[in-house]
Amino acid sequence: MDSTSLIGPAVVAAGVSGVIAGIGLLVTRSTTIGIHREKIEADQDLARQTAAIEPVIEEAAFDPESFKRSVLLLAEARGRS
């Protein structure tokens, strides 16, 4: 058996392996980008909710009854959305 007869199949196997690795890289990249987008959206939602509730919390420090009313209004608003 000649050593050159083994080179052809090895080159083909290396090429196939490279193509499969490239496909895996693309799938991993698109998955990572998708997860990152979801995380950014969740962070933005959390920031909006925090910004909406901060005035209520500040007001509660001065007027507990007003805080109760605000909490009820927020609960109603969430129930409608």
Side-chain angles (χ1 to χ4, degrees), residues 1-69:
M1 178 183 255
D2 190 6
S3 64
T4 57
S5 65
L6 297 176
I7 292 175
V11 170
V12 172
V16 170
S17 176
V19 169
I20 292 173
I23 292 170
L25 178 70
L26 292 175
V27 169
T28 301
R29 182 179 181 272
S30 65
T31 302
T32 302
I33 289 171
I35 290 172
H36 184 67
R37 284 186 184 142
E38 289 176 9
K39 182 182 181 300
I40 288 174
E41 288 174 9
D43 288 346
Q44 288 174 343
D45 288 342
L46 181 60
R48 281 189 212 103
Q49 290 175 4
T50 302
I53 197 73
E54 279 179 355
V56 174
I57 293 171
E58 289 173 5
E59 187 177 332
F62 299 106
D63 184 10
E65 285 301 315
S66 176
F67 175 72
K68 288 178 187 176
R69 286 191 304 274

